[in-house]
Amino acid sequence: MDFSYTDEQELLIESIDEFVRRSMPDDLITRMYAEQSVPDELTRAYLEAGFALIGLPEEYGGVPCDRVTLGILTERFAHASGCLTPFLNNVLAVNDMIDFGNEEQIRLCLETYLEEGKPLFSLGFSEPGAGSDNASMSTVTRRQADGSFLLNGQKTWVTAGESLPNVLVAAKDEDPSPDNRSMSMWLVPRTTAGLSTSSLHKIGAEIMPFCEMFFDDVVLTEDMRVGVAGEGFKNLMKNYEMERCLIIAQCLGIAQAAMDDAAAYTGERETFGKPIISYQLIQQKLTDMEIALLNTRNLLYRTLWMIDTGQPVRIESALLKRYGAQACTQVASEALQIYGGLGFTTETRLGRIWKDCRGMEIAGGTNEIMVHIAGRQLARRYARK
Amino acid sequence: MEIIVALKVVLDDQDIALASDGSLDTSRAHQVASLYDLNALEAAVQLAALEEGSRVTVLTVGGPEIDDSKLRKNILARGADELIMLLDEAARDWGSFETARALAAMIAKRGTWDLVVCGDGSADRFAQQVDVQLAAALDTLVFDAVVAWEWAGAQDGRLSLKRKLEDCEQTLACTLPLVVSVMPDIATPRICGMKEILAAGKKPVSVLTAAELALDLADIEKSGGATRFELIETRAPARQKRAARMYEAASSEGLRVFCAEAAALIG
Ligand SMILES: Cc1cc2nc3c(=O)[nH]c(=O)nc-3n(C[C@H](O)[C@H](O)[C@H](O)COP(=O)(O)OP(=O)(O)OC[C@H]3O[C@@H](n4cnc5c(N)ncnc54)[C@H](O)[C@@H]3O)c2cc1C
């Protein structure tokens, strides 16, 4: 088994470190959290350095690469910067459109992305009454006599919903009842009449604010539909596995940044006349934090390798998401603990990292839903032959 | 335009540890492109972009240990078209004279050229000699301390150079061929993109030995002086204990003492 990076991966890591050193000084990161946004210049610099193109197909101007390398990019970027950024979500959104959109929609989406480094749309899937249980969403479209559709309902926790120009909405076709599985996705401009938003206040990952979205007799036309009519649910589920891997790659990167800080601090901070690293309780913290990081990393890259080699990862991606999000939150929490009172202030980045990781125990499928996905499948996998 | 960049591979100084006896421990140090040479390469690549059909070839000289597949790709991902390496046991400890001779032979073997670009100085020795000696060996002009340049096109055929000298800035225009060494300010090394990194592995690299270049090593080394001296040891200077003295600054008397002693120190 070869765990080493290729030359290309090592050079990519060097490029990321250099990019972060030049373009993301600490005060900029602090400002991004305070202002809850990423400055356009940074998004553009990320695009110009070529990172935004990694993982997109060549025919669309991208630089295709394997999933392991995409994971390395994601982890390292989060590690070097110590923060969660929307860049990963952006490339995932563009890939969604490439998978499901028609030529015109793909062209539009890429035009924006290659020009500005931002995707054309946010994702409006969750509803106040339907998060984990997506299928019971009640947002609905109804066909009108003139061939258009009326969209009614509400979405919530829509990341970047108030800054991106469109939203990709999942809605039931004709009938909102839970047993209607016929669902479609629609690309709706935010300025469409009848669409309104209301900000929500996050406790973490503030760089990427989310909002509520209301649809009140919004008129849609057939050309706004993305993908096959009625198959929206299938589409919705298809790219979750990769998303889960990359969410954990981000958590891992920032948790590693917390480890870097905390481990160094244990040699600097003295209590009772000795550096705190001389106490076994502190040594145990570092040991357990390192184990958590290594386990997460091993699970992450093994799962990505499985995707690269064409193996199904429904179970593995759920195991990774469940384990990794909690492990990284715990690493950040212990790092904060090692800093004592200072850790509980905004003087260090540990509180911020802890909150960012904590959100990832919910986003992209909760810890509990990962059991729901993996548990029964595991029983089947281990059933006596 | 055929542009040659002379790039030195050195040990990464961040990896060099200082042992307690002052000796240098290089066992963990990686081979990297000398820092300022990357600025020279970037400037060369930007210049090449101004004239269609231009090529940038990187030349490097050193012991066989400098050859490393990642280092090759790192150089070629920065816009160079080709890499030529002279790898030879004999070259490991070469100084400026021997290196300049070898580079001149490599350039002659390679064929036509218009411009040789060197960095301001190598990260390890910083002797700032190879540019001058290379120009002598190539029998051409050399300008150092170049901080900017302009190329008006092949028709004009002259490269105008801005040099930063001790107390003035000098601008001049010179026909090619020419050797220049550039200050780091001339260009910031690029951040290699994934596309360039992936393409780097497919670019041509050739490796030569001193014998293949028909270099007369005995003659070069005799003139270069390497046969006349022996390097006994390299050590960091003994650390000076820094004396910290505190002055009472709450009273004007204390301040007066401080000022008087500081003035005496400065002389
Ligand atoms: C940072 C962040 C960003 C987000 N971005 C987006 C976005 O861009 N677009 C979007 O559409 N949504 C987004 N979401 C919403 C996210 O997908 C949902 O919050 C998530 O799916 C959970 O749904 P819920 O909040 O309704 O919780 P619920 O589904 O109501 O769950 C409540 C609790 O019950 C548990 N639970 C639910 N069902 C089961 C079960 N069967 N067995 C055991 N336990 C169960 C859950 O794990 C949870 O603990 C985001 C969320 C966060 C935190």
Side-chain angles (χ1 to χ4, degrees):
Chain A
M1 233 175 276
D2 185 357
F3 288 92
S4 55
Y5 291 139
T6 63
D7 290 341
E8 285 75 11
Q9 289 164 345
E10 283 189 20
L11 289 169
L12 174 65
I13 287 172
E14 287 175 16
S15 289
I16 295 163
D17 289 352
E18 186 60 24
F19 176 86
V20 170
R21 204 178 58 74
R22 288 187 200 177
S23 308
M24 298 182 73
D26 287 348
D27 58 331
L28 174 69
I29 294 173
T30 308
R31 193 147 38 88
M32 293 198 308
Y33 275 86
E35 294 173 3
Q36 311 207 348
S37 65
V38 176
D40 285 349
E41 308 86 77
L42 180 61
T43 307
R44 204 173 297 271
Y46 186 83
L47 177 68
E48 277 165 10
F51 299 126
L53 305 177
I54 301 179
L56 289 181
E58 201 162 13
E59 64 262 40
Y60 297 114
V63 184
C65 75
D66 51 81
R67 305 301 162 114
V68 167
T69 303
L70 204 53
I72 292 171
L73 165 71
T74 309
E75 182 198 345
R76 190 64 181 204
F77 195 76
H79 179 190
S81 64
C83 68
L84 295 187
T85 53
F87 300 129
L88 152 76
N89 307 45
N90 295 354
V91 75
L92 286 175
V94 175
N95 270 321
D96 275 347
M97 188 54 93
I98 289 174
D99 281 353
F100 308 123
N102 61 33
E103 276 306 313
E104 176 59 13
Q105 289 161 339
I106 296 173
R107 192 188 59 75
L108 249 169
C109 182
L110 278 157
E111 231 172 56
T112 314
Y113 189 65
L114 298 180
E115 174 72 27
E116 300 172 11
K118 293 187 210 168
L120 199 56
F121 55 90
S122 56
L123 301 174
F125 299 159
S126 304
E127 297 183 2
S132 305
D133 181 15
N134 271 150
S136 62
M137 66 174 63
S138 59
T139 297
V140 65
T141 57
R142 290 200 173 85
R143 195 184 180 89
Q144 303 302 293
D146 65 356
S148 68
F149 300 81
L150 280 189
L151 170 67
N152 280 288
Q154 180 187 347
K155 295 288 171 185
T156 190
W157 310 306
V158 183
T159 302
E162 292 187 301
S163 59
L164 295 176
N166 299 270
V167 55
L168 187 68
V169 184
K172 293 276 174 79
D173 298 319
E174 301 301 326
D175 168 18
S177 68
D179 23 289
N180 174 18
R181 288 259 159 173
S182 175
M183 193 190 284
S184 296
M185 301 214 278
W186 305 83
L187 188 64
V188 187
R190 197 160 40 92
T191 49
T192 312
L195 191 165
S196 58
T197 62
S198 161
S199 309
L200 288 168
H201 302 283
K202 272 179 157 171
I203 64 157
E206 295 97 326
I207 290 182
M208 294 171 278
F210 54 28
C211 69
E212 289 182 290
M213 234 176 227
F214 306 92
F215 307 94
D216 186 11
D217 280 344
V218 174
V219 180
L220 305 179
T221 47
E222 185 59 43
D223 59 328
M224 294 159 89
R225 196 192 303 260
V226 177
V228 181
E231 293 197 355
F233 193 71
K234 257 198 259 165
N235 295 351
L236 209 59
M237 294 298 144
K238 181 163 174 252
N239 284 343
Y240 265 161
E241 291 162 355
M242 190 60 197
E243 183 190 359
R244 284 177 187 144
C245 292
L246 294 188
I247 283 177
I248 297 306
Q250 282 206 304
C251 288
L252 179 59
I254 56 176
Q256 183 68 58
M259 176 74 177
D260 294 349
D261 290 1
Y265 189 70
T266 59
E268 296 156 6
R269 177 70 174 174
E270 293 193 2
T271 63
F272 305 101
K274 286 191 275 189
I276 58 173
I277 189 58
S278 59
Y279 304 116
Q280 286 190 340
L281 277 173
I282 298 292
Q283 294 168 16
Q284 186 182 30
K285 283 191 198 302
L286 291 188
T287 305
D288 289 343
M289 288 159 76
E290 186 70 3
I291 291 172
L293 292 170
L294 283 174
N295 279 341
T296 305
R297 190 167 290 118
N298 288 340
L299 257 177
L300 168 66
Y301 290 108
R302 183 172 180 278
T303 308
L304 290 169
W305 166 80
M306 287 176 75
I307 301 179
D308 280 333
T309 48
Q311 305 177 58
V313 293
R314 194 169 153 74
I315 297 178
E316 280 69 19
S317 62
L319 301 182
L320 167 69
K321 174 78 183 21
R322 174 175 168 83
Y323 176 79
Q326 293 180 89
C328 291
T329 307
Q330 183 63 14
V331 167
S333 175
E334 287 290 65
L336 188 157
Q337 189 72 15
I338 286 172
Y339 265 81
L342 189 57
F344 204 64
T345 69
T346 52
E347 296 287 302
T348 75
R349 56 183 180 172
L350 300 165
R352 198 183 75 199
I353 291 174
W354 176 73
K355 289 190 291 180
D356 284 4
C357 285
R358 186 65 184 81
M360 295 308 172
E361 294 189 37
I362 300 164
T366 65
N367 295 341
E368 295 75 16
I369 288 302
M370 295 306 114
V371 176
H372 184 67
I373 293 171
R376 285 165 304 164
Q377 300 273 340
L378 282 170
R380 212 167 299 155
R381 181 183 279 181
Y382 284 94
R384 282 187 222 289
K385 297 265 153 42
Chain B
M1 215 186 309
E2 287 291 338
I3 307 177
I4 309 274
V5 176
L7 180 144
K8 185 169 185 179
V9 177
V10 298
L11 291 174
D12 190 344
D13 54 8
Q14 289 185 11
D15 301 336
I16 300 177
L18 195 58
S20 53
D21 65 351
S23 63
L24 302 179
D25 176 6
T26 57
S27 58
R28 296 232 175 89
H30 294 98
Q31 305 281 349
V32 293
S34 179
L35 194 61
Y36 299 144
D37 291 353
L38 292 181
N39 300 60
L41 172 57
E42 182 64 39
V45 170
Q46 289 178 12
L47 180 64
L50 301 178
E51 179 76 38
E52 211 179 316
S54 295
R55 283 176 60 81
V56 175
T57 304
V58 174
L59 304 187
T60 192
V61 173
E65 70 281 0
I66 70 166
D67 190 13
D68 166 292
S69 67
K70 181 182 150 199
L71 182 81
R72 288 179 174 198
K73 289 174 193 160
N74 192 5
I75 292 169
L76 291 166
R78 295 171 185 277
D81 297 292
E82 186 184 353
L83 171 64
I84 305 177
M85 313 172 92
L86 169 68
L87 302 178
D88 207 295
E89 294 289 345
R92 181 170 297 129
D93 298 316
W94 275 355
S96 312
F97 180 85
E98 298 89 335
T99 305
R101 285 303 164 102
L103 286 170
M106 290 165 84
I107 291 170
K109 183 178 161 80
R110 191 187 154 278
T112 58
W113 61 279
D114 298 298
L115 180 68
V116 177
V117 187
C118 301
D120 191 29
S122 60
D124 51 358
R125 296 189 187 149
F126 210 80
Q128 297 186 295
Q129 281 292 313
V130 167
D131 53 343
V132 196
Q133 301 198 25
L134 178 56
L138 292 169
D139 198 17
T140 192
L141 276 175
V142 59
F143 291 105
D144 64 359
V146 173
V147 286
W149 52 30
E150 270 172 44
W151 175 247
Q155 241 168 4
D156 176 52
R158 293 188 309 169
L159 186 64
S160 61
L161 305 171
K162 193 195 274 180
R163 304 173 67 208
K164 197 172 197 166
L165 305 178
E166 203 144 301
D167 44 16
C168 68
E169 266 192 1
Q170 186 184 63
T171 307
L172 54 95
C174 189
T175 55
L176 304 177
L178 182 66
V179 175
V180 295
S181 68
V182 297
M183 306 268 278
D185 299 358
I186 193 164
T188 307
R190 68 190 52 198
I191 293 174
C192 306
M194 194 65 192
K195 196 169 176 180
E196 292 72 31
I197 292 172
L198 291 171
K202 302 187 189 96
K203 290 185 176 177
V205 178
S206 32
V207 175
L208 301 169
T209 60
E212 283 165 326
L213 271 181
L215 284 179
D216 184 346
L217 291 181
D219 182 50
I220 290 179
E221 291 186 352
K222 195 164 126 241
S223 318
T227 49
R228 291 177 42 206
F229 73 86
E230 181 193 356
L231 183 65
I232 316 248
E233 68 171 10
T234 307
R235 262 179 212 283
R239 271 198 208 163
Q240 298 265 331
K241 263 226 162 93
R242 277 191 227 152
R245 282 198 54 198
M246 307 291 265
Y247 292 87
E248 168 61 56
S251 67
S252 54
E253 176 53 26
L255 275 177
R256 216 185 344 267
V257 175
F258 171 74
C259 291
E261 291 194 11
L265 260 180
I266 296 163

